[in-house]
Amino acid sequence: PLQLSAQFHLESSCARYQLDWGDGSGYSTQSQGSCSSGAITKSLSHTYTARGTYTLTLKRGSSLKTVDTILVSIDN
C-alpha cells in the first residue's frame, strides 16, 4: 500500500467538506456544524493500493460549491 497525506485549510473546524481521493474508494467528508471556531488546517491520510496518477478533488463550504483539484502521482 502507498500512503498519501493531504492538508487543506477550512474557514472553521465546523466547515463542510468532501474530499475525493480520486481512486474510486470513496470520500472523506464532514457535515456542516454550528460551532464558530476560527480557521484551521485539516490533515487527512489515505492509502492507495496501486501506483498511478490521481486527481484529488476538495469541495468545501455549506453548499460544497468551492472546488479545488490537484493531480498527484504515486510512484513508489
Side-chain angles (χ1 to χ4, degrees):
L2 309 161
Q3 189 167 9
L4 175 76
S5 294
Q7 289 187 339
F8 52 94
H9 302 285
L10 295 172
E11 56 275 1
S12 81
S13 62
C14 307
R16 183 178 181 196
Y17 69 82
Q18 180 182 68
L19 178 62
D20 180 348
W21 293 98
D23 63 354
S25 66
Y27 302 95
S28 294
T29 63
Q30 176 173 285
S31 299
Q32 186 77 26
S34 59
C35 60
S36 60
S37 57
I40 65 159
T41 298
K42 189 77 172 182
S43 296
L44 300 172
S45 293
H46 179 72
T47 301
Y48 288 89
T49 58
R51 291 175 175 82
T53 301
Y54 301 95
T55 301
L56 278 68
T57 303
L58 174 66
K59 296 179 182 180
R60 54 193 166 85
S62 59
S63 61
L64 297 178
K65 289 186 178 180
T66 302
V67 179
D68 299 295
T69 61
I70 187 170
L71 191 65
V72 296
S73 183
I74 306 294
D75 295 329
N76 54 17

